[in-house]
Amino acid sequence: MDPQKKLAILADAAKYDASCASSGGSRRAAPGGLGSAEGMGICHSYTPDGRCVSLLKILLTNFCIYDCTYCVNRISSDTPRARFTPEEVVSLTLDFYRRNYIEGLFLSSGVLRSPDHTMEELVRVARLLREDHGFAGYIHLKVVPGASPELIEAAGLHADRVSANVELPTEADLARLAPEKKLPVIDETMGRIHLRRTEAKEERRTFAPAGQSTQIIVGATDTPDATILATSSRLYETHRLRRVYYSAFSPIPGADVRLPAKSPPLVREHRLYEADWLIRFYGFEAQELAGADAPQLDLGIDPKLAWALRNRAYFPVDLNIAPRGALLRVPGIGVRGAERIVEARRHRRLRIADLGKLRVAKNRALPFVVAADHNPTAAWIDRDDLRERIVRPQAAQLSLFDAAAPAAAPEPAPLAPALSGEL
């Protein structure tokens, strides 16, 4: 098959994997080598749904012996098939890199014959690039769960980041939609990567310096956000993952009847990323954001504001005495904002007017804080319409045929939405 045709098939097949981020690498080329994984060597570029497009993102092959119902490359699918040789992938990577089309390589694959055979092929690509061509650009290799420890070791020696996808959040989901995949096997593979990284750090050698990541498909089953976040938290804690990526399920041609007919709203994926961020950097537990009483994240507001509205007894927080952890729970105060508040109050007592100077999202924080001076907005904390006062209704695009709405009675002006990106 013509390489260009192969590329069209295998690049398209790789678009469903969201677990590619190029951050964290620090590899540089030796004299006479090629590429760099740091500084301007890697250009991040993301599609509107968050997928990175700055890497040459392809599959080695989309032939696969597994029959995962949600995957377009499953063995029972009639999708066009193609397969690159490792040498062809190396040639494409170098050619694209020299033309400045890409900054690195994200390489995954369908499972050929066995996990070990597939991993041998993937590792061969990385080894050829690093050892034969002196390529020092970014490489992200997919690790096939169940591959032997020796191949995992070889993958980590040559790749900047490795990832083993968990795909579905529970063992029951995997048994139903991906029977060849087992959660204990995936866990074991992630555990080996974590162990190798720990050993390498102690021995002062390099092993997957950008860490490991994984991907969870959202919306292929009715598993709630609470379970998804609990799985993510366990993986972060147990295997020290750098990132968990959430990928909204995409309907595929000829899909199994057990799959939903349409994708979940992309805002659900977005809320999961926000909750994930709160767990990793703000000290929240997964069950605080989505627990048994509210297993799905609120799609209308961010998870931190939703938590604050459910836990009003926690507020108001005094800006002048609250510990950093308490400040991080205030909507509108991010990590840097909390640090600025802690630093500023060492010199004087803070007033409400100082929030703007400290670059806090003042309008979101006001109902939840008190300071040295009077804050009348803090009295809103007990109001039934607090949510409506904080959240501005989303504007809807009218069509040419929508009738103009009748004039409504004026409502109390809501607070402006946050202008900063902090939660």
Side-chain angles (χ1 to χ4, degrees), residues 148-162:
S148 66
E150 295 77 17
L151 290 168
I152 293 174
E153 173 76 18
L157 287 177
H158 294 95
D160 294 280
R161 174 168 287 187
V162 293

Side-chain angles (χ1 to χ4, degrees), residues 60 86 115-125 127 151:
L60 188 64
D116 273 356
H117 177 76
T118 309
M119 275 308 303
E120 286 172 1
E121 297 280 290
L122 293 172
V123 168
R124 178 170 168 74
V125 173
R127 184 178 287 131
L151 290 168

Side-chain angles (χ1 to χ4, degrees), residues 133-150:
H133 297 279
F135 181 74
Y138 185 84
I139 297 179
H140 180 155
L141 275 191
K142 190 63 65 180
V143 173
V144 184
S148 66
E150 295 77 17

Side-chain angles (χ1 to χ4, degrees), residues 379-391:
W380 291 7
I381 197 69
D382 294 322
R383 291 186 63 108
D384 292 336
D385 62 349
L386 178 58
R387 174 174 172 147
E388 290 72 23
R389 285 175 170 261
I390 297 173
V391 181

Side-chain angles (χ1 to χ4, degrees), residues 58 65 74 133 156 158 186 193 212 221 228 242 245 290 293-295 301 318 339 343 355 395 418:
I58 55 172
I65 60 174
R74 66 191 183 280
H133 297 279
H158 294 95
I186 300 169
I193 295 170
Q212 64 168 321
T221 65
I228 295 172
R242 185 65 65 91
Y245 291 89
D293 54 336
I301 53 178
D318 191 330
E339 290 168 353
E343 176 63 26
L355 286 174

Side-chain angles (χ1 to χ4, degrees), residues 2-4 6-7 34 56 58 60 84-102 104-105 107 121-122 124-130 132-135 139:
D2 177 66
Q4 196 165 355
K6 289 184 187 179
L7 185 60
L34 180 69
L56 174 57
I58 55 172
L60 188 64
F84 277 128
T85 64
E87 289 74 14
E88 286 176 322
V89 175
V90 169
S91 175
L92 278 173
T93 303
L94 296 177
D95 288 348
F96 281 136
Y97 195 94
R98 290 188 175 110
R99 287 175 172 80
N100 202 28
Y101 293 165
I102 59 160
L105 171 67
L107 185 62
E121 297 280 290
L122 293 172
R124 178 170 168 74
V125 173
R127 184 178 287 131
L128 288 172
L129 281 169
R130 296 289 194 224
D132 289 10
H133 297 279
F135 181 74
I139 297 179

Side-chain angles (χ1 to χ4, degrees), residues 21-29 34-44 55 97 103-105 130 135-140 158-161 209-210:
S22 54
S23 59
S26 59
R27 191 186 304 271
R28 280 188 172 186
L34 180 69
S36 170
E38 66 175 6
M40 297 302 290
I42 294 292
C43 298
H44 299 268
L55 310 175
Y97 195 94
E103 307 298 332
L105 171 67
R130 296 289 194 224
F135 181 74
Y138 185 84
I139 297 179
H140 180 155
H158 294 95
D160 294 280
R161 174 168 287 187

